Amino acid sequence: MKQVVQNYKSGELTVLEVPAPLCRPGGVLVRTEHSLVSAGTEKMKVAESRMSLAGMARARPDQVRKVMDTVAQQGIASTYRKVMNRLDSYTPLGYSLAGIVEEVGEGVTEFEIGQRVACGGNQFAHHAELNWVPVNLCVPVPDRVTSEDASFATVGSIAMQAFRQSDARLGEVAVVIGLGLVGQLLVQILRSAGVQVVGIDPSAQRRDIAAKSGAAAVGGPDTDGIIEISSTLAALTEGAGADHVFLAASTDDRSPLFTAADLARDRARIVDVGKCNLDLPWDKYYEKELDVRFSRSYGPGRYDPTYEEDGIDYPIGYVRWTQRRNMKAFVDLIAEGRIDLSTLGTASHDFENAAAVYDDLHEGSIQDVAVVFRYETPPSAATAVRVAPTGTPAAPTVGALRLGVIGAGNYASTMLLPHLAPREDVVLATVATTTALSSATAQSRFTFETATTDYRQILDDVSIDAVLIATRHDTHARIAAEALRAGKAVFVEKPLAVTEGQLALLLDAVEDSGNDRIQVGFNRRFAPLLVKMRAVYGEPPGPTTLHYDVRAGSLGGDSWYQQTDKHGTRFVGEGCHFVDTVSWWLGADPIEVVATAGPDDVDNLVATYRYEDGSVATISYVTSDAPRRFPKETLTVHGSARSARLSNFAQYDVWGGARRRWKRSVGGVDKGQASQIAAFVDAVRNGEPLALSLASQVATTMATFAAHESALANRRIEIRPGPQRDE
């Protein structure tokens, strides 16, 4: 299928051929008929992509701060690779469309094949011939509404949410500053609710559109225009001023803030729905005690993955207007004739010409308030051709290792695949990701032979020798089990599993298939500096004490790591790295653990592991933020008359008697990703044992589960050798 994409590094914008998305559970596969171009938002994205790096930095100072934090922890070289990876990838455009349901996912009962729907969401409703969209971002389209009009539903819900935030009532008066698409839709929504409206915009064309849509008065932001608007407001409100002012403009200029204060009545509501500079003139807003409110996108549910992705709705008795209900209400207004989109003078273009349309938008030759792409019967999603799976490999590979990759997110693209692509003894055969665009990006960047959105094509391909799995944590065990049953050697990113039930599922696959060739991405034991420190330290004559201090830091509210019921705790997901490292150092697996967690954060914990020979390893996993340059990881080791310290994989120091030996990392921080990949490839190609035994990897996984159990129970836990089966 075809999709509109842009590359932030090169500025290229094109219509690209990409794999068709799969219809996943909890959503529907939609064949697009029309998609709406949000001229303001998407024009800004295109403009940013064509800036220099310095220009991008000026435009996004928040991202610059994140980059500097990464430099402090990981060094310039590693940070540069990460930034370039982010920039040099295809980014989708679009977030509002209408089309026909082509396939219904498991668990979906609200929609049926052939039904017309309006869809939203910048992660799902793209300018593409086919899109998979979760149920909470789809609404049915009535027969009386055209697909072109229905494609406005998402942007309409933005205007609808702003209206609701204002709490506007019948007979009141509102001012809309900024008459772009959202502003125009606000004018019509307010009028349909019985609210008188005046509009302000520098464009005469946009003022004329608002007047045709029922605005009582329109004017420019200049002095004459404001005088005329003030006169109309005085007549409409008996001199009191507007009940509501909507800031629907996108500008760094503070003038809309002053205009809003001047036109508002005492204790009026100011609703920000655009992207205005909100450096408020304190005296004006204080004197009138103005109520400033924000309108967040489409409505409640936005930015909540349990609502948007998992389809968990908010009870209507507690949240009357969610983003889905806002979308439906807007489409219903169109059906009832209370919203008339014909007044906007929408420009309609063939989807095939999308790149040229964006060029015209960027250059300013398109001035239309609304632009829509129309699609000409795009092809249906192709059904994958399945072949019989192969058996367990029992011999070295012949020729180059043919590798399939499942999951190609930022970590895989920066830390794993760059070490595979240059190897002449590895063929990157197929890459599979959940979205068509990420598959196409990985295929282009790392020259995979094919790309798909169905990972089972990799498992069913008898020519593929091994599989690399770098998906989200909750899928690791299931996909790895399927790959083992298909006879593949498996490299799976940590963790191996997030529950004992998942671990049992994987071990059942090993037992049933006789295939135990699996290596978890415990890369730190391969880090060159740590390996060298271990060699210099040598074998101590007695028990050893280790302390691994980890400043994991806090997470953003939108991080999928926060979904602990689905993806497991942070310590299960990341703490396994550190358990593996101390166990590798000691050459043994822990036998018991006692862990203490913070009162409000079970992941903010200290876990002390005991080993058979009396050795003790304490892992301090701290989720509060540290100063930028404070080392994220510090490993300290003490034995008989010997001590060693590794500081953030940048330097080690080893003390023995009166002698101190030390070494710094050359070429930046290296946490062992390249070495672990090389070890896996060499072992599979040569038919040799993998670097990590399955027993060791299971023991580490069980040790992380035990730490979590100990923290909750507040007692010492003996570490079981294997999982208990789920009931």
Side-chain angles (χ1 to χ4, degrees):
M1 71 161 193
K2 294 178 180 177
Q3 180 171 357
V4 177
V5 300
Q6 67 174 344
N7 183 292
Y8 264 79
K9 182 179 179 182
S10 66
E12 173 196 17
L13 191 147
T14 187
V15 179
L16 188 69
E17 190 73 34
V18 300
L22 284 180
C23 186
R24 309 200 300 272
V28 291
L29 191 67
V30 177
R31 174 164 54 84
T32 309
E33 291 188 314
H34 291 86
S35 60
L36 177 69
V37 179
S38 177
T41 301
E42 296 185 52
K43 182 179 178 180
M44 178 183 66
K45 284 187 176 181
V46 173
E48 285 182 357
S49 73
R50 298 181 181 183
M51 292 177 179
S52 65
L53 286 176
M56 291 180 184
R58 287 192 295 269
R60 295 297 305 273
D62 57 323
Q63 296 299 318
V64 173
R65 286 192 293 272
K66 291 181 180 179
V67 169
M68 296 309 298
D69 289 345
T70 305
V71 169
Q73 290 296 333
Q74 301 183 16
I76 294 176
S78 177
T79 303
Y80 179 80
R81 287 194 299 269
K82 286 189 174 183
V83 171
M84 289 301 103
N85 177 67
R86 290 278 190 181
L87 294 177
D88 191 16
S89 60
Y90 293 127
T91 302
L93 293 171
Y95 60 89
S96 188
L97 63 83
I100 298 174
V101 174
E102 188 155 289
E103 190 176 344
V104 176
E106 181 183 348
V108 175
T109 58
E110 301 96 319
F111 302 103
E112 59 185 24
I113 294 174
Q115 184 176 6
R116 291 195 308 141
V117 290
C119 308
N122 63 354
Q123 292 178 287
F124 307 103
H126 302 141
H127 299 307
E129 292 174 327
L130 287 161
N131 287 278
W132 179 83
V133 187
V135 290
N136 275 349
L137 295 178
C138 297
V139 296
V141 176
D143 292 338
R144 297 186 300 277
V145 179
T146 67
S147 289
E148 181 174 313
D149 283 355
S151 69
F152 283 74
T154 308
V155 179
S157 68
I158 296 173
M160 189 72 75
Q161 177 63 12
F163 165 74
R164 300 198 192 287
Q165 286 294 88
S166 72
D167 198 25
R169 307 293 177 88
L170 179 70
E172 293 183 328
V173 179
V175 175
V176 177
I177 301 177
L179 297 172
L181 180 55
V182 172
Q184 298 289 349
L185 297 179
L186 255 173
V187 169
Q188 295 205 32
I189 290 169
L190 289 162
R191 290 298 300 126
S192 71
V195 178
Q196 293 278 15
V197 185
V198 297
I200 300 174
D201 196 278
S203 167
Q205 175 194 7
R206 294 182 176 185
R207 295 198 298 268
D208 289 344
I209 293 172
K212 292 176 183 177
S213 297
V218 292
D222 56 290
T223 302
D224 291 341
I226 297 302
I227 290 174
E228 184 178 345
I229 289 293
S230 299
S231 176
T232 302
L233 273 178
L236 292 173
T237 65
E238 298 181 348
D243 301 288
H244 313 279
V245 181
F246 295 88
L247 299 173
S250 179
T251 178
D252 289 330
D253 187 357
R254 295 178 70 209
S255 59
L257 302 178
F258 289 89
T259 300
D262 291 338
L263 299 180
R265 66 164 168 80
D266 188 59
R267 293 177 175 80
R269 294 191 182 95
I270 313 294
V271 179
D272 176 48
V273 66
K275 192 178 180 183
C276 281
N277 179 340
L278 288 181
D279 183 8
L280 301 176
W282 180 86
D283 54 342
K284 288 181 173 291
Y285 281 68
Y286 172 82
E287 288 168 3
K288 289 187 176 181
E289 201 174 344
L290 297 177
D291 182 357
V292 179
R293 298 184 176 185
F294 290 87
S295 178
R296 189 173 70 177
S297 198
Y298 324 140
R302 185 71 179 106
Y303 309 113
D304 180 356
T306 60
Y307 178 91
E308 293 190 327
E309 299 176 27
D310 299 339
I312 307 300
D313 199 2
Y314 300 150
I316 196 169
Y318 291 90
V319 183
R320 177 62 183 92
W321 292 108
T322 61
Q323 57 178 307
R324 185 182 187 186
R325 292 173 193 139
N326 276 335
M327 289 173 65
K328 186 178 185 304
F330 183 79
V331 173
D332 289 343
L333 287 176
I334 299 174
E336 295 164 8
R338 297 166 68 186
I339 296 289
D340 182 7
L341 298 177
S342 65
T343 62
L344 301 179
T346 303
S348 182
H349 300 268
D350 288 336
F351 171 65
E352 297 282 349
N353 299 326
V357 171
Y358 276 105
D359 284 339
D360 290 342
L361 279 169
H362 179 67
E363 294 168 4
S365 56
I366 291 181
Q367 296 293 328
D368 301 281
V369 170
V371 177
V372 167
F373 291 138
R374 54 178 179 265
Y375 297 70
E376 296 295 333
T377 58
S380 300
T383 301
V385 177
R386 299 295 175 86
V387 295
T390 184
T392 302
T397 60
V398 178
L401 177 75
R402 291 183 59 80
L403 183 71
V405 174
I406 303 173
N410 191 52
Y411 182 81
S413 296
T414 56
M415 297 300 181
L416 302 178
L417 292 177
H419 305 305
L420 286 162
R423 293 185 65 127
E424 295 183 357
D425 57 354
V426 174
V427 174
L428 296 180
T430 303
V431 60
T433 69
T434 55
T435 66
L437 196 52
S438 58
S439 288
T441 296
Q443 181 183 17
S444 173
R445 184 183 303 159
F446 300 107
T447 62
F448 281 89
E449 293 177 344
T450 59
T452 181
T453 55
D454 184 358
Y455 73 87
R456 292 177 181 86
Q457 290 187 31
I458 292 175
L459 305 187
D460 293 347
D461 187 341
V462 295
S463 74
I464 291 178
D465 306 300
V467 174
L468 185 153
I469 301 169
T471 53
R472 288 191 176 182
H473 293 175
D474 64 311
T475 64
H476 287 182
R478 173 176 54 82
I479 297 176
E482 292 180 50
L484 291 172
R485 291 182 187 276
K488 313 296 185 187
V490 176
F491 179 95
V492 59
E493 254 310 311
K494 57 80 191 167
L496 184 59
V498 298
T499 67
E500 289 194 31
Q502 290 183 4
L503 185 57
L505 176 73
L506 184 134
L507 294 179
D508 287 344
V510 171
E511 183 177 348
D512 294 343
S513 66
N515 180 12
D516 65 353
R517 294 176 67 72
I518 181 169
Q519 179 176 323
V520 181
F522 294 146
N523 53 278
R524 281 159 175 77
R525 62 161 64 199
F526 295 92
L529 207 64
L530 180 57
V531 171
K532 178 66 174 175
M533 183 174 95
R534 179 71 177 82
V536 171
Y537 184 87
E539 292 291 340
T544 302
T545 301
L546 299 92
H547 182 217
Y548 208 142
D549 182 57
V550 183
R551 298 303 299 262
S554 60
L555 296 174
D558 59 347
S559 172
W560 57 266
Y561 254 109
Q562 303 277 30
Q563 302 174 52
T564 55
D565 56 335
K566 181 177 182 181
H567 299 290
T569 66
R570 288 185 68 185
F571 190 76
V572 167
E574 188 182 24
C576 51
H577 265 317
F578 316 118
V579 176
D580 175 76
T581 302
V582 296
S583 295
W584 162 79
W585 183 284
L586 294 170
D589 298 319
I591 58 174
E592 68 177 19
V593 62
V594 58
T596 303
D600 302 317
D601 185 359
V602 72
D603 277 324
N604 196 34
L605 58 76
V606 176
T608 299
Y609 291 94
R610 187 171 68 83
Y611 291 77
E612 190 70 46
D613 70 347
S615 293
V616 174
T618 298
I619 300 172
S620 299
Y621 189 83
V622 182
T623 57
S624 59
D625 289 326
R628 179 189 296 176
R629 297 190 178 279
F630 190 87
K632 180 180 178 182
E633 298 179 32
T634 304
L635 174 63
T636 306
V637 184
H638 301 291
S640 299
R642 292 180 230 179
S643 294
R645 181 176 60 219
L646 178 73
S647 299
N648 214 32
F649 297 88
Q651 178 175 322
Y652 75 69
D653 297 86
V654 177
W655 292 267
R659 186 180 181 189
R660 168 182 172 252
R661 285 180 284 182
W662 63 277
K663 184 177 179 63
R664 288 180 180 170
S665 173
V666 178
V669 172
D670 184 348
K671 294 185 180 180
Q673 286 90 353
S675 298
Q676 72 168 350
I677 288 292
F680 175 76
V681 170
D682 292 343
V684 175
R685 287 197 68 244
N686 299 324
E688 298 171 348
L690 298 179
L692 285 77
S693 70
L694 178 61
S696 168
Q697 295 168 114
V698 170
T700 293
T701 304
M702 292 298 297
T704 60
F705 296 160
H708 179 63
E709 182 182 352
S710 174
L712 292 177
N714 195 28
R715 63 182 177 85
R716 188 180 303 273
I717 297 291
E718 183 178 337
I719 300 172
R720 297 188 299 273
Q724 293 181 333
R725 266 48 177 178
D726 289 343
E727 295 294 335

